[in-house]
Amino acid sequence: MLKMLEKLLQQKKTGQKALSVLVDPDNIVDDYQLQNLVKLCVECRVDYFFVGGSLIMQDALAGVVNYLKSNSNIPVTLFPGNNMHLDAHADAILFLSLISGRNAEMLIGQHVVAAPFLRKSNLEILPTGYLLIDGGQGTTVSYMSNTTPIPSDKPGIAACTAIAGEMLGLKLMYLDAGSGAKKAVSSRMIAQVAKNVNCPIIVGGGITTPYMAKDAFDAGADVVVIGNGIEKNPNLIVEVSEVIHEYNKVLNVH
C-alpha cells in the first residue's frame, strides 16, 4: 500500500483529483451521525479523512480516529490545531507550518514540542505549507493562530509564499479559507499557486457546492476538502465525489 505522500504525488503526476472529508470531533453529535458519515464516505469512495480543528473542546479525538480506522479503509490523517491534537493511531499527520503568517509558534514552535512524540509514533509525517486565505469573515484558525489571512485578491502573495515554502522543503501546500468561510479560495489564486509550485495542492474552506469544487480542480487543486458544507447539505459528499469520478474518468480515457 502506497504511503499517503507517494499516493498524492502519483495522483498529481497523472492528473487525478481527490476528495478529503474533514471531521471535526467537536461537530460529531453522536455515534449515529459518525456511523452515517463513514458509511456515506465509503460508498462515495472518498480518498482521505482529515481529523481535527482549530479548537477541539471535547475529548473526542481518539474515539473519532479509532472509529474511522475500525470502520473504513480510508486513510485517516490528523489536521491539528496545536500540539495537543495528536493521536498515534491515525495513519498520517499534516505537519502544518502556517507560512502565510508571522507567528513563530505556528511556523515552528508547536512543531518542536510535538516532534519527540511524532518521532516515536508510526505516523507518516507530511510537511505541509499552510496558507490561510481571507474567506470573507473572521475564522477560528485566524483568531487562534493570531495571524492575518492573505487577502483574497492578492494571488501573487499566495504564489510567492508557496514558492518559498516549497524551497524550504515542504511537500504539500494547503490553501484554506477556514471553516465556515463566506467565500472559497478563488480560482485565480489557486491557478497562480499551481503554476508556480510542483507539489500537490490541497484547497479547503467555503466549498459548499460541486461547482465550486470543480472550479478548484480546474484551477489546479489536487485535493478538495469539504467539512462544514456537509452540515448544510449532507448530499455534498455525493455531489463532489461524482464530479471527481467524472473528472478522473475523462483522464483515464485519454
Side-chain angles (χ1 to χ4, degrees):
M1 183 176 177
L2 288 176
K3 289 283 191 177
M4 184 171 169
L5 181 58
E6 292 174 338
K7 184 177 179 181
L8 287 167
L9 290 171
Q10 186 180 80
Q11 288 175 327
K12 184 174 184 66
K13 184 178 180 180
T14 58
Q16 300 284 305
K17 305 302 182 180
L19 170 62
S20 179
V21 169
L22 175 59
V23 183
D24 185 336
D26 276 354
N27 291 338
I28 300 299
V29 177
D30 51 36
D31 292 343
Y32 182 72
Q33 179 192 9
L34 187 57
Q35 178 183 348
N36 286 339
L37 176 64
V38 172
K39 182 180 179 182
L40 184 59
C41 288
V42 171
E43 290 174 351
C44 292
R45 292 177 287 166
V46 166
D47 297 277
Y48 308 104
F49 281 124
F50 289 172
V51 182
S54 301
L55 179 64
I56 299 179
M57 298 179 65
Q58 302 182 51
D59 187 20
L61 178 65
V64 169
V65 169
N66 180 64
Y67 188 90
L68 296 177
K69 290 284 295 175
S70 301
N71 292 276
S72 82
N73 292 319
I74 300 171
V76 177
T77 300
L78 298 176
F79 179 55
N82 61 53
N83 63 69
M84 300 295 291
H85 300 166
L86 304 176
D87 190 299
H89 296 95
D91 297 296
I93 180 172
L94 294 172
F95 205 36
L96 303 169
S97 183
L98 186 50
I99 58 176
S100 62
R102 299 297 180 267
N103 183 340
E105 274 300 299
M106 297 300 171
L107 281 167
I108 185 63
Q110 294 283 329
H111 311 68
V112 172
V113 177
F117 172 87
L118 295 176
R119 172 61 66 86
K120 294 178 182 178
S121 76
N122 290 319
L123 291 169
E124 179 183 0
I125 312 300
L126 302 169
T128 304
Y130 190 51
L131 286 74
L132 185 58
I133 313 300
D134 182 17
Q137 67 175 16
T139 60
T140 304
V141 63
S142 177
Y143 180 83
M144 294 302 296
S145 65
N146 193 28
T147 61
T148 302
I150 294 175
S152 59
D153 62 345
K154 301 294 183 183
I157 295 177
C160 290
T161 302
I163 292 170
E166 188 172 53
M167 287 179 172
L168 284 166
L170 298 173
K171 304 300 183 184
L172 305 172
M173 291 297 147
Y174 194 141
L175 280 62
D176 192 6
S179 297
K182 290 185 177 179
K183 57 184 179 181
V185 181
S186 70
S187 297
R188 183 168 168 237
M189 181 172 285
I190 297 170
Q192 189 81 345
V193 172
K195 185 172 72 173
N196 284 283
V197 298
N198 296 313
C199 61
I201 297 171
I202 304 169
V203 178
I207 297 175
T208 56
T209 71
Y211 310 104
M212 296 171 77
K214 187 177 186 304
D215 286 345
F217 287 132
D218 288 344
D222 299 293
V223 181
V224 156
V225 183
I226 56 176
N228 274 27
I230 301 170
E231 297 174 24
K232 298 177 182 178
N233 176 19
N235 206 45
L236 185 61
I237 295 174
V238 177
E239 296 169 346
V240 175
S241 66
E242 287 175 351
V243 168
I244 292 174
H245 296 147
E246 285 301 314
Y247 203 113
N248 292 342
K249 186 191 299 182
V250 172
L251 290 172
N252 288 332
V253 169
H254 293 86

